[in-house]
Amino acid sequence: MAVERLLILIKPDGVKKSLTGNILTKLSEAKLTIIGAKAVKVSRELAAEHYKQLSDKPFFNELIDYIQGKMYGAPYDRVFAFVYQGEDAIARMRRIAGATNPEEADPVSIRGAYGRITTKGVYENVVHCSSDTSEAEREIKLWFSPEELTEEIYPTKIIDTTIKKKVWA
Ligand code: UDP
Ligand code: MG
């Protein structure tokens, strides 16, 4: 079995419901290593790029609002993003997360225990979990820069930039 990485997001419903600790405890059963972690206020651009394969779905706009935490507002309009690494990591984490539809998810999974379907029909299922290695690589590169990870898991390059950067005053 191969070492894999994946992106996990604690979605805004998980943040609002104070489930961060419970979710991390449950995920820790897989005995994987966290190699990146941060809080993110999700822009519309990031949300649309993250879910671009679902852009033709009727629920796409609601899904974008959901991952941005629009319905919860400050201070819950954020996600906690993690990169996990370990043997067979994707299948193991998806088992703990549970099926996409929280009504169909195993009740002892995270989504089965804590998810719901909104009146608009969106599955508020508490966590995002990459579903295969190529999706995981795309998502990790979208959400994290190389210096935000403790391991260099993909090839990097050095570029010269003239971009202005915010530093502590
Ligand atoms: N989703 C939804 N209705 C659907 C399918 C998906 O609201 O019929 C939402 C749900 O929040 C899900 C996300 O869109 O987590 C991404 O869908 P995907 O099929 O990739 O499921 P996942 O990989 O998250 O299990
Ligand atoms: Mg998916």
Side-chain angles (χ1 to χ4, degrees):
M1 238 170 273
V3 172
E4 295 172 341
R5 296 95 191 180
L6 76 157
L7 178 77
I8 292 278
L9 302 176
I10 299 179
K11 295 179 176 182
D13 52 325
V15 178
K16 171 75 178 179
K17 292 173 179 170
S18 296
L19 290 173
T20 302
N22 296 32
I23 291 167
L24 293 177
T25 300
K26 197 101 182 89
L27 294 174
S28 72
E29 289 169 14
K31 302 266 184 273
L32 303 174
T33 305
I34 294 174
I35 61 169
K38 61 179 175 178
V40 184
K41 281 204 182 190
V42 182
S43 68
R44 202 167 176 84
E45 293 67 39
L46 176 58
E49 183 62 27
H50 177 74
Y51 281 131
K52 70 176 182 187
Q53 76 280 8
L54 298 173
S55 60
D56 57 348
K57 300 286 187 205
F59 57 83
F60 183 70
N61 279 321
E62 282 78 22
L63 181 60
I64 296 305
D65 286 349
Y66 164 40
I67 199 71
Q68 290 191 273
K70 285 278 174 66
M71 58 290 276
Y72 296 121
Y76 309 111
D77 54 346
R78 64 206 58 220
V79 305
F80 300 128
F82 301 89
V83 178
Y84 281 84
Q85 174 173 281
E87 291 280 326
D88 199 23
I90 295 174
R92 287 164 69 194
M93 290 304 238
R94 282 193 74 91
R95 215 171 298 128
I96 296 170
T100 305
N101 180 339
E103 300 292 330
E104 291 172 0
D106 184 332
V108 305
S109 69
I110 293 168
R111 288 165 163 184
Y114 302 124
R116 65 164 186 164
I117 301 178
T118 68
T119 49
K120 286 182 176 171
V122 176
Y123 300 166
E124 281 196 351
N125 53 13
V126 189
V127 287
H128 168 80
C129 195
S130 307
S131 60
D132 60 60
T133 53
S134 68
E135 183 181 274
E137 179 171 346
R138 185 186 86 84
E139 293 177 350
I140 291 166
K141 288 176 173 174
L142 177 65
W143 287 81
F144 286 84
S145 61
E147 66 269 21
E148 289 177 316
L149 300 181
T150 57
E151 331 288 308
E152 192 158 313
I153 57 175
Y154 307 119
T156 58
K157 62 182 177 184
I158 305 294
I159 56 166
D160 275 321
T161 68
T162 53
I163 296 169
K164 287 187 180 164
K165 190 180 171 190
K166 190 183 284 186
V167 297
W168 301 118

